[in-house]
Amino acid sequence: GQQLNQSPQSMFIQEGEDVSMNCTSSSIFNTWLWYKQDPGEGPVLLIALYKAGELTSNGRLTAQFGITRKDSFLNISASIPSDVGIYFCAGSNTGGFKTIFGAGTRLFVKA
Amino acid sequence: GAVVSQHPSWVICKSGTSVKIECRSLDFQATTMFWYRQFPKQSLMLMATSNEGSKATYEQGVEKDKFLINHASLTLSTLTVTSAHPEDSSFYICSARDDTSGTDTQYFGPGTRLTVL
């Protein structure tokens, strides 16, 4: 079945550093989504990407929908302590197909 | 916009009892909702797809008689864990797809932590 490979699994960074994480798949997706989950909470949508090649920003976050439609990355610039959490990528296709989630990237930010 | 609520946020119950969890889309209609289960330090595991007015679609390995899903309106889906056992203890999260968005974007609820004693 479809799978997403999300990397890295975890990151330990210093406050102020930039962060990059990515997801790859052997399958094509029409939609790429990035979520952040805080401990004990549900995932919160950060960025949604709907077109191949699309580059979208949300504050300090930037995400791109790969041109091959098989990958996406998320960048966080100038990280701050509240960026700590688990970041999930997700891919889906229109027509009611299931959304597939990556395993998550755990981000730790040291002040 | 696109707010999803869950109730209760946490519940502790005795083994053998049933627990109902509600998922509501507060400011949009959702023909399709999803129920996930998440174990500590793991990703989301899709349990079932809830469709308004029809039977839910369960993922392989998920017992439909154990996890009863009812999607009686366009803004409410419920998950009932029947005859709960300690191994059912987990974090249950629902999500909803906005009918009017024209996309497959899912919006998640805050989750319900179930502890079965």
Side-chain angles (χ1 to χ4, degrees), chain B:
Chain B
V3 178
V4 177
S5 70
Q6 269 184 254
H7 178 79
S9 55
W10 59 270
V11 57
I12 302 172
C13 69
K14 291 182 179 180
S15 186
T17 60
S18 294
V19 174
K20 180 186 283 188
I21 303 170
E22 293 185 348
C23 178
R24 293 180 186 273
S25 57
L26 298 186
D27 51 359
F28 64 98
Q29 292 185 330
T31 301
T32 306
M33 292 185 176
F34 304 88
W35 287 97
Y36 294 84
R37 186 172 180 177
Q38 186 178 36
F39 292 104
K41 298 185 179 180
Q42 292 191 20
S43 187
L44 305 162
M45 185 190 80
L46 180 65
M47 299 174 65
T49 302
S50 172
N51 302 297
E52 187 270 337
S54 64
K55 291 182 180 179
T57 305
Y58 290 82
E59 294 301 299
Q60 191 173 8
V62 178
E63 299 176 56
K64 62 180 181 180
D65 295 330
K66 170 78 174 174
F67 299 99
L68 300 178
I69 291 174
N70 186 357
H71 195 153
S73 79
L74 288 173
T75 59
L76 173 65
S77 174
T78 60
L79 169 69
T80 301
V81 183
T82 62
S83 186
H85 291 284
E87 58 265 31
D88 298 324
S89 298
S90 190
F91 193 50
Y92 292 86
I93 313 174
C94 72
S95 70
R97 184 182 286 163
D98 187 344
D99 286 349
T100 63
S101 71
T103 72
D104 291 317
T105 303
Q106 294 181 33
Y107 299 94
F108 285 87
T112 296
R113 183 159 302 283
L114 171 63
T115 302
V116 185
L117 303 175

Side-chain angles (χ1 to χ4, degrees), chain A:
Chain A
Q2 292 178 310
Q3 282 189 325
L4 289 185
N5 297 310
Q6 186 171 352
S7 64
Q9 286 187 339
S10 60
M11 301 181 72
F12 295 80
I13 63 170
Q14 198 76 27
E15 182 178 4
E17 290 183 359
D18 297 341
V19 172
S20 185
M21 58 193 80
N22 69 84
C23 273
T24 60
S25 172
S26 58
S27 305
I28 289 174
F29 289 107
N30 291 332
T31 301
W32 281 94
L33 307 164
W34 285 93
Y35 294 88
K36 182 194 176 194
Q37 185 178 28
D38 291 327
E41 301 287 333
V44 174
L45 181 67
L46 298 175
I47 293 179
L49 303 160
Y50 303 113
K51 290 182 182 179
E54 180 181 358
L55 183 71
T56 298
S57 292
N58 178 7
R60 292 179 295 108
L61 279 59
T62 302
Q64 182 156 33
F65 191 148
I67 197 70
T68 65
R69 293 162 62 193
K70 293 183 178 181
D71 63 296
S72 176
F73 71 74
L74 174 71
N75 288 342
I76 305 173
S77 62
S79 59
I80 58 178
S82 61
D83 290 333
V84 167
I86 306 174
Y87 293 80
F88 290 103
C89 65
S92 70
N93 288 307
T94 53
F97 292 102
K98 284 186 288 186
T99 297
I100 310 298
F101 286 84
T105 295
R106 290 181 169 272
L107 179 63
F108 300 88
V109 179
K110 185 178 179 182

